[in-house]
Amino acid sequence: MPKKQSRAAQLARQIRAVTGLPYTRCLKLCEPSEGSWARLAHELRAAGLIEAADHLLAVDAVTTEASTWFEAGGQIEGLFYYTDNKRVQRTYDACSDAADAALTRVGFDRHSRDSDAEAYHAAFLALSKAGTLPDGRTLARAALEVFADDPTWCSDVVRSRGRAPFTYDTAARLTGPGTPIAVAARKAARAMAHAAVVPFKGDEEWYEAAGMMVEMMWHASEAAGLSPLEGRPNCQDHLRNFMDGEIPQR
């Protein structure tokens, strides 16, 4: 065994000890893959937003670790649900506890939206930066990928605070070129800022903030060089059913 194992190898051995799954299977679970958060971090770094990129990568690492534990528990469930349910329950509980420990270790609560909130804030910084460039399509597209096609989920996330409070008030001061892409990016950032301050009260506020996130994704799509809400049927439904089919002109 090498003296210094990769993080994936270390995690695979931990999962093997808890689940009893073969090491090669555990290692496959832990293989690094570049998701939307990592791609956004890459674009943030390329745009000079180094601190934001490093912060997002750190958040991505711990949430990926937690997700891997849950996936390992799910594999045991799939293998032994009908033959050894006690093992399934025991192992799934242990995997859930390990996932919880990973999130708690860095200040996130289990099943919290706060890790997603920090990714959303990184996307806001990317859109804000794109709004200062004549053509920030690459940044805007990377930011857009972070958001789920679920306006009500996005509504909850954008209003969550993360581990350390952050605000979106810089959106009010954004300036930049008059190109359609830059203008759309600034509009998207401002829509996020409006959504972030909607209070948690009831369904009315929930849907209000959801509508603002649909507005954000509409403009972010434009900034990314895509058709508005392209590939987002749930956002399109929300626009049609709850917003009278119109994006506010701010």
Side-chain angles (χ1 to χ4, degrees):
M1 184 188 304
K3 291 184 178 180
K4 187 174 182 181
Q5 302 177 66
S6 68
R7 182 69 193 101
Q10 292 176 21
L11 181 58
R13 293 190 182 280
Q14 293 169 13
I15 290 174
R16 181 190 181 192
V18 170
T19 63
L21 289 169
Y23 174 70
T24 52
R25 187 166 188 164
C26 296
L27 190 59
K28 188 171 182 61
L29 280 174
C30 301
E31 286 178 351
S33 60
E34 186 179 80
S36 60
W37 293 13
R39 289 191 292 273
L40 175 56
H42 174 79
E43 294 302 332
L44 286 167
R45 188 178 299 281
L49 299 173
I50 308 300
E51 184 178 353
D54 288 345
H55 182 86
L56 181 57
L57 285 175
V59 174
D60 186 38
V62 73
T63 55
T64 298
E65 179 180 344
S67 296
T68 303
W69 276 110
F70 282 121
E71 187 175 351
Q75 291 217 1
I76 290 294
E77 184 175 22
L79 287 169
F80 299 105
Y81 184 81
Y82 294 105
T83 59
D84 194 345
N85 195 254
K86 287 184 178 179
R87 176 181 177 179
V88 168
Q89 192 60 57
R90 182 175 64 251
T91 306
Y92 197 88
D93 288 346
C95 288
S96 295
D97 288 344
D100 188 14
L103 294 170
T104 302
R105 186 174 67 238
V106 296
F108 290 124
D109 294 328
R110 182 177 179 180
H111 303 310
S112 169
R113 292 182 294 268
D114 287 348
S115 57
D116 290 80
E118 295 192 17
Y120 279 27
H121 192 247
F124 166 78
L125 295 176
L127 289 168
S128 297
K129 180 67 174 180
T132 69
L133 305 172
D135 186 348
R137 279 179 290 184
T138 304
L139 260 177
R141 185 168 295 200
L144 184 61
E145 287 183 357
V146 168
F147 302 101
D149 181 30
D150 184 343
T152 50
W153 166 258
C154 294
S155 166
D156 284 335
V157 173
V158 77
R159 292 180 292 159
S160 301
R161 294 166 63 85
R163 292 167 294 180
F166 45 75
T167 66
Y168 293 83
D169 58 359
T170 54
R173 302 190 297 274
L174 285 176
T175 59
T179 61
I181 290 171
V183 170
R186 294 196 297 272
K187 286 183 176 180
R190 290 180 184 129
M192 283 192 77
H194 287 301
V197 296
V198 175
F200 280 100
K201 286 186 177 180
D203 286 353
E204 184 176 347
E205 289 77 16
W206 190 32
Y207 281 91
E208 178 186 5
M212 292 174 182
M213 291 303 286
V214 171
E215 177 186 350
M216 179 280 296
M217 284 185 268
W218 176 286
H219 293 305
S221 300
E222 294 178 320
L226 304 172
S227 299
L229 304 184
E230 180 178 317
R232 294 180 175 270
N234 292 321
C235 288
Q236 294 172 19
D237 287 345
H238 192 94
L239 176 66
R240 180 171 55 252
N241 297 329
F242 298 101
M243 301 171 67
D244 298 326
E246 296 185 3
I247 294 296
Q249 301 300 311
R250 300 183 193 270

